Amino acid sequence: MNAEHTGSAVRAGGVPAYDDVEKGTELPSVTVQVRREDLVRYAGASGDFNRIHWNARVAREVGLPDVIAHGMLTMGAGARVLTEWAVDPARVVEYSVRFTRPVTVPDDDEGVAVTFGGKVADKLPDRVVRVDLTAVADGAKVFGAARAMVRLD
């Protein structure tokens, strides 16, 4: 999977400071290309060989439009918004996602672009911020109720 970053300016080398972050702060977005070959690699790494992730006929038989990306692959790619913003992945103390639709992966060399974003929704005690995440593929929302708690300096 290849990623491209957009959004706010890159910070000069550090973890965002809790005192400097405000509600509404946008995290830089990340766009990831998901290709069929990525699904094969993920299946091997995760042990999830469900045929809906590699066999178009089976995917269609169960009512899907085509082969779909693994949910945990999509969720993991979305976490990059958090880990790149917070610098240290250990700062992400909680992360949950509800999926609103699957990510359909076409059988071509380009795959599908999934764009992930995030916004600080609340500042909580103990220097923790709640970040609401978004994911969009083919113009449609992929995540619903996607949230993370991130501890800052």
Side-chain angles (χ1 to χ4, degrees), residues 125-141:
D126 298 324
R127 307 187 77 71
V128 172
V129 296
R130 188 186 95 206
V131 177
D132 290 349
L133 296 153
T134 59
V136 176
D138 288 331
K141 283 177 48 174

Side-chain angles (χ1 to χ4, degrees), residues 6 9 30-31 36 40 61 63 69 77 79 86 91 113 122 132 144 149:
T6 60
V30 175
T31 299
R36 294 267 178 109
V40 172
E61 284 175 359
R91 292 182 177 279
D122 203 1
D132 290 349
M149 303 300 177

